[in-house]
mmCIF file of all heavy atoms in Angstrom:
data_model
loop_
_atom_site.group_PDB
_atom_site.id
_atom_site.type_symbol
_atom_site.label_atom_id
_atom_site.label_comp_id
_atom_site.label_asym_id
_atom_site.label_seq_id
_atom_site.Cartn_x
_atom_site.Cartn_y
_atom_site.Cartn_z
ATOM 1 N N SER A 73 98.959 104.507 97.041
ATOM 2 C CA SER A 73 99.089 104.520 95.534
ATOM 3 C C SER A 73 98.930 105.937 94.974
ATOM 4 O O SER A 73 99.485 106.277 93.887
ATOM 5 C CB SER A 73 98.038 103.548 94.950
ATOM 6 O OG SER A 73 98.180 103.491 93.485
ATOM 7 N N LEU A 74 98.185 106.704 95.653
ATOM 8 C CA LEU A 74 97.900 108.210 95.185
ATOM 9 C C LEU A 74 99.195 109.073 95.649
ATOM 10 O O LEU A 74 99.209 110.157 95.234
ATOM 11 C CB LEU A 74 96.647 108.648 95.736
ATOM 12 C CG LEU A 74 95.371 108.214 95.057
ATOM 13 C CD1 LEU A 74 94.194 108.468 95.936
ATOM 14 C CD2 LEU A 74 95.224 108.988 93.727
ATOM 15 N N GLY A 75 100.127 108.446 96.243
ATOM 16 C CA GLY A 75 101.271 109.251 96.708
ATOM 17 C C GLY A 75 101.195 109.838 98.093
ATOM 18 O O GLY A 75 102.031 110.631 98.494
ATOM 19 N N PHE A 268 83.525 108.143 86.585
ATOM 20 C CA PHE A 268 84.406 107.963 85.394
ATOM 21 C C PHE A 268 83.854 106.617 84.754
ATOM 22 O O PHE A 268 83.703 105.555 85.422
ATOM 23 C CB PHE A 268 85.812 107.713 85.804
ATOM 24 C CG PHE A 268 86.530 108.978 86.285
ATOM 25 C CD1 PHE A 268 86.526 109.511 87.579
ATOM 26 C CD2 PHE A 268 87.281 109.700 85.391
ATOM 27 C CE1 PHE A 268 87.046 110.663 88.028
ATOM 28 C CE2 PHE A 268 87.868 110.923 85.713
ATOM 29 C CZ PHE A 268 87.722 111.432 87.003
ATOM 30 N N VAL A 270 83.634 103.162 82.971
ATOM 31 C CA VAL A 270 84.482 101.954 83.104
ATOM 32 C C VAL A 270 83.741 100.736 83.032
ATOM 33 O O VAL A 270 82.504 100.634 83.432
ATOM 34 C CB VAL A 270 85.298 101.971 84.439
ATOM 35 C CG1 VAL A 270 84.334 101.751 85.681
ATOM 36 C CG2 VAL A 270 86.378 100.853 84.480
ATOM 37 N N ARG A 301 86.032 113.850 92.842
ATOM 38 C CA ARG A 301 86.638 113.323 91.549
ATOM 39 C C ARG A 301 87.772 112.414 91.833
ATOM 40 O O ARG A 301 87.901 111.350 91.180
ATOM 41 C CB ARG A 301 87.111 114.524 90.711
ATOM 42 C CG ARG A 301 85.917 115.349 90.217
ATOM 43 C CD ARG A 301 86.491 116.592 89.437
ATOM 44 N NE ARG A 301 87.199 116.089 88.214
ATOM 45 C CZ ARG A 301 88.018 116.800 87.488
ATOM 46 N NH1 ARG A 301 88.413 117.969 87.929
ATOM 47 N NH2 ARG A 301 88.614 116.335 86.506
ATOM 48 N N ALA A 302 88.543 112.745 92.835
ATOM 49 C CA ALA A 302 89.714 111.784 93.081
ATOM 50 C C ALA A 302 89.213 110.418 93.588
ATOM 51 O O ALA A 302 89.673 109.382 93.313
ATOM 52 C CB ALA A 302 90.589 112.431 94.197
ATOM 53 N N GLY A 303 88.093 110.528 94.405
ATOM 54 C CA GLY A 303 87.537 109.272 94.976
ATOM 55 C C GLY A 303 86.923 108.489 93.841
ATOM 56 O O GLY A 303 87.035 107.179 93.839
ATOM 57 N N CYS A 304 86.155 109.127 92.965
ATOM 58 C CA CYS A 304 85.640 108.395 91.823
ATOM 59 C C CYS A 304 86.669 107.745 90.846
ATOM 60 O O CYS A 304 86.413 106.659 90.383
ATOM 61 C CB CYS A 304 84.707 109.258 91.047
ATOM 62 S SG CYS A 304 83.150 109.687 91.919
ATOM 63 N N LEU A 305 87.775 108.484 90.698
ATOM 64 C CA LEU A 305 88.869 107.922 89.887
ATOM 65 C C LEU A 305 89.402 106.667 90.471
ATOM 66 O O LEU A 305 89.592 105.670 89.751
ATOM 67 C CB LEU A 305 89.891 109.024 89.595
ATOM 68 C CG LEU A 305 91.067 108.570 88.689
ATOM 69 C CD1 LEU A 305 90.609 108.436 87.319
ATOM 70 C CD2 LEU A 305 92.218 109.643 88.782
ATOM 71 N N ALA A 306 89.740 106.767 91.756
ATOM 72 C CA ALA A 306 90.395 105.644 92.378
ATOM 73 C C ALA A 306 89.348 104.380 92.347
ATOM 74 O O ALA A 306 89.841 103.324 92.111
ATOM 75 C CB ALA A 306 90.717 105.931 93.863
ATOM 76 N N ALA A 307 88.158 104.625 92.593
ATOM 77 C CA ALA A 307 87.069 103.589 92.584
ATOM 78 C C ALA A 307 87.025 102.998 91.149
ATOM 79 O O ALA A 307 86.898 101.755 91.004
ATOM 80 C CB ALA A 307 85.800 104.130 92.960
ATOM 81 N N SER A 308 87.045 103.867 90.142
ATOM 82 C CA SER A 308 86.953 103.337 88.754
ATOM 83 C C SER A 308 88.048 102.438 88.360
ATOM 84 O O SER A 308 87.933 101.471 87.569
ATOM 85 C CB SER A 308 86.889 104.497 87.759
ATOM 86 O OG SER A 308 88.145 105.208 87.598
ATOM 87 N N GLU A 309 89.277 102.694 88.885
ATOM 88 C CA GLU A 309 90.477 101.851 88.679
ATOM 89 C C GLU A 309 90.236 100.437 89.266
ATOM 90 O O GLU A 309 90.464 99.544 88.597
ATOM 91 C CB GLU A 309 91.676 102.440 89.056
ATOM 92 C CG GLU A 309 92.884 101.854 88.647
ATOM 93 C CD GLU A 309 93.404 100.563 89.321
ATOM 94 O OE1 GLU A 309 92.874 100.343 90.500
ATOM 95 O OE2 GLU A 309 94.073 99.768 88.690
ATOM 96 N N VAL A 310 89.841 100.466 90.508
ATOM 97 C CA VAL A 310 89.729 99.190 91.234
ATOM 98 C C VAL A 310 88.629 98.212 90.737
ATOM 99 O O VAL A 310 88.814 97.019 90.853
ATOM 100 C CB VAL A 310 89.700 99.403 92.773
ATOM 101 C CG1 VAL A 310 88.212 99.714 93.203
ATOM 102 C CG2 VAL A 310 90.305 98.249 93.510
ATOM 103 N N SER A 312 87.859 97.931 87.700
ATOM 104 C CA SER A 312 88.070 97.535 86.317
ATOM 105 C C SER A 312 88.923 96.183 86.188
ATOM 106 O O SER A 312 89.206 95.768 85.104
ATOM 107 C CB SER A 312 88.875 98.635 85.595
ATOM 108 O OG SER A 312 90.228 98.745 86.177
ATOM 109 N N HIS A 313 89.203 95.681 87.434
ATOM 110 C CA HIS A 313 89.917 94.385 87.451
ATOM 111 C C HIS A 313 89.581 93.572 88.678
ATOM 112 O O HIS A 313 88.841 94.128 89.608
ATOM 113 C CB HIS A 313 91.464 94.630 87.460
ATOM 114 C CG HIS A 313 91.883 95.511 88.549
ATOM 115 N ND1 HIS A 313 92.050 95.170 89.813
ATOM 116 C CD2 HIS A 313 92.220 96.901 88.540
ATOM 117 C CE1 HIS A 313 92.465 96.100 90.591
ATOM 118 N NE2 HIS A 313 92.532 97.255 89.877
ATOM 119 N N PRO A 318 94.521 98.708 93.875
ATOM 120 C CA PRO A 318 94.826 99.323 92.630
ATOM 121 C C PRO A 318 95.950 98.533 91.952
ATOM 122 O O PRO A 318 96.887 98.121 92.650
ATOM 123 C CB PRO A 318 95.136 100.766 92.892
ATOM 124 C CG PRO A 318 95.513 100.755 94.323
ATOM 125 C CD PRO A 318 94.752 99.735 94.999
ATOM 126 N N VAL A 319 95.793 98.338 90.677
ATOM 127 C CA VAL A 319 96.841 97.754 89.848
ATOM 128 C C VAL A 319 97.699 98.794 89.207
ATOM 129 O O VAL A 319 98.937 98.716 89.191
ATOM 130 C CB VAL A 319 96.274 96.808 88.737
ATOM 131 C CG1 VAL A 319 97.306 96.362 87.747
ATOM 132 C CG2 VAL A 319 95.505 95.543 89.349
ATOM 133 N N LEU A 320 97.019 99.844 88.802
ATOM 134 C CA LEU A 320 97.761 101.043 88.089
ATOM 135 C C LEU A 320 98.257 101.958 89.217
ATOM 136 O O LEU A 320 97.825 101.879 90.386
ATOM 137 C CB LEU A 320 96.906 101.774 87.170
ATOM 138 C CG LEU A 320 96.274 101.029 85.964
ATOM 139 C CD1 LEU A 320 95.356 101.946 85.226
ATOM 140 C CD2 LEU A 320 97.503 100.501 85.158
ATOM 141 N N ASP A 321 99.218 102.785 88.989
ATOM 142 C CA ASP A 321 99.750 103.776 89.839
ATOM 143 C C ASP A 321 98.728 104.919 89.812
ATOM 144 O O ASP A 321 98.593 105.652 88.925
ATOM 145 C CB ASP A 321 101.063 104.279 89.413
ATOM 146 C CG ASP A 321 101.778 105.317 90.235
ATOM 147 O OD1 ASP A 321 101.038 106.102 90.913
ATOM 148 O OD2 ASP A 321 102.977 105.292 90.408
ATOM 149 N N LEU A 322 97.968 105.081 91.017
ATOM 150 C CA LEU A 322 96.902 106.009 90.962
ATOM 151 C C LEU A 322 97.417 107.480 90.962
ATOM 152 O O LEU A 322 96.689 108.308 90.517
ATOM 153 C CB LEU A 322 96.026 105.792 92.297
ATOM 154 C CG LEU A 322 95.201 104.516 92.348
ATOM 155 C CD1 LEU A 322 94.410 104.495 93.760
ATOM 156 C CD2 LEU A 322 94.254 104.436 91.246
ATOM 157 N N ARG A 323 98.542 107.763 91.467
ATOM 158 C CA ARG A 323 99.091 109.029 91.383
ATOM 159 C C ARG A 323 99.317 109.460 89.993
ATOM 160 O O ARG A 323 98.980 110.547 89.487
ATOM 161 C CB ARG A 323 100.476 109.113 92.158
ATOM 162 C CG ARG A 323 101.193 110.533 92.012
ATOM 163 C CD ARG A 323 102.228 110.612 93.022
ATOM 164 N NE ARG A 323 103.199 109.504 93.075
ATOM 165 C CZ ARG A 323 104.229 109.404 93.810
ATOM 166 N NH1 ARG A 323 104.424 110.339 94.721
ATOM 167 N NH2 ARG A 323 105.037 108.350 93.796
ATOM 168 N N GLN A 324 99.868 108.563 89.162
ATOM 169 C CA GLN A 324 100.104 108.880 87.763
ATOM 170 C C GLN A 324 98.797 108.910 86.979
ATOM 171 O O GLN A 324 98.591 109.886 86.147
ATOM 172 C CB GLN A 324 100.921 107.716 87.012
ATOM 173 C CG GLN A 324 101.158 107.901 85.535
ATOM 174 C CD GLN A 324 102.037 106.785 85.024
ATOM 175 O OE1 GLN A 324 102.762 106.090 85.773
ATOM 176 N NE2 GLN A 324 102.041 106.582 83.760
ATOM 177 N N LEU A 325 97.810 108.105 87.400
ATOM 178 C CA LEU A 325 96.519 108.186 86.683
ATOM 179 C C LEU A 325 95.762 109.427 87.056
ATOM 180 O O LEU A 325 95.220 110.046 86.153
ATOM 181 C CB LEU A 325 95.690 106.957 87.224
ATOM 182 C CG LEU A 325 94.218 106.832 86.619
ATOM 183 C CD1 LEU A 325 94.337 106.570 85.067
ATOM 184 C CD2 LEU A 325 93.500 105.644 87.243
ATOM 185 N N ALA A 326 95.862 109.925 88.195
ATOM 186 C CA ALA A 326 95.251 111.226 88.656
ATOM 187 C C ALA A 326 95.936 112.345 87.911
ATOM 188 O O ALA A 326 95.183 113.230 87.358
ATOM 189 C CB ALA A 326 95.477 111.426 90.143
ATOM 190 N N ALA A 327 97.245 112.324 87.733
ATOM 191 C CA ALA A 327 97.916 113.330 86.986
ATOM 192 C C ALA A 327 97.452 113.347 85.528
ATOM 193 O O ALA A 327 97.263 114.480 84.918
ATOM 194 C CB ALA A 327 99.501 113.126 87.008
ATOM 195 N N GLU A 328 97.388 112.203 84.944
ATOM 196 C CA GLU A 328 96.855 112.097 83.571
ATOM 197 C C GLU A 328 95.429 112.692 83.384
ATOM 198 O O GLU A 328 95.109 113.241 82.345
ATOM 199 C CB GLU A 328 96.941 110.628 83.075
ATOM 200 C CG GLU A 328 98.225 109.997 82.959
ATOM 201 C CD GLU A 328 98.237 108.523 82.770
ATOM 202 O OE1 GLU A 328 97.070 107.961 82.655
ATOM 203 O OE2 GLU A 328 99.329 107.913 82.539
ATOM 204 N N LYS A 329 94.653 112.516 84.477
ATOM 205 C CA LYS A 329 93.251 113.166 84.385
ATOM 206 C C LYS A 329 93.156 114.547 84.935
ATOM 207 O O LYS A 329 92.109 115.096 84.966
ATOM 208 C CB LYS A 329 92.348 112.272 85.308
ATOM 209 C CG LYS A 329 92.256 110.811 84.781
ATOM 210 C CD LYS A 329 91.553 110.673 83.487
ATOM 211 C CE LYS A 329 91.373 109.228 83.113
ATOM 212 N NZ LYS A 329 90.627 109.103 81.789
ATOM 213 N N GLY A 330 94.311 115.151 85.224
ATOM 214 C CA GLY A 330 94.340 116.477 85.626
ATOM 215 C C GLY A 330 93.821 116.721 87.031
ATOM 216 O O GLY A 330 93.431 117.829 87.397
ATOM 217 N N LEU A 331 94.028 115.677 87.935
ATOM 218 C CA LEU A 331 93.424 115.882 89.206
ATOM 219 C C LEU A 331 94.656 116.153 90.217
ATOM 220 O O LEU A 331 95.663 115.518 90.170
ATOM 221 C CB LEU A 331 92.754 114.582 89.732
ATOM 222 C CG LEU A 331 91.558 114.091 88.960
ATOM 223 C CD1 LEU A 331 90.948 112.834 89.575
ATOM 224 C CD2 LEU A 331 90.547 115.226 88.858
ATOM 225 N N ALA A 332 94.541 117.252 90.877
ATOM 226 C CA ALA A 332 95.487 117.634 91.837
ATOM 227 C C ALA A 332 95.187 117.110 93.351
ATOM 228 O O ALA A 332 94.541 117.685 94.060
ATOM 229 C CB ALA A 332 95.566 119.133 91.932
ATOM 230 N N VAL A 333 95.783 115.757 93.541
ATOM 231 C CA VAL A 333 95.441 115.167 94.829
ATOM 232 C C VAL A 333 96.610 115.409 95.761
ATOM 233 O O VAL A 333 97.689 115.374 95.263
ATOM 234 C CB VAL A 333 95.208 113.635 94.589
ATOM 235 C CG1 VAL A 333 94.921 112.955 95.860
ATOM 236 C CG2 VAL A 333 94.058 113.394 93.537
#
Side-chain angles (χ1 to χ4, degrees):
S73 183
L74 283 162
F268 286 84
V270 64
R301 292 179 64 200
C304 286
L305 181 66
S308 73
E309 193 283 336
V310 82
S312 70
H313 56 77
V319 171
L320 300 179
D321 184 323
L322 292 182
R323 176 168 48 182
Q324 179 178 340
L325 184 62
E328 292 171 358
K329 298 294 184 179
L331 300 185
V333 182

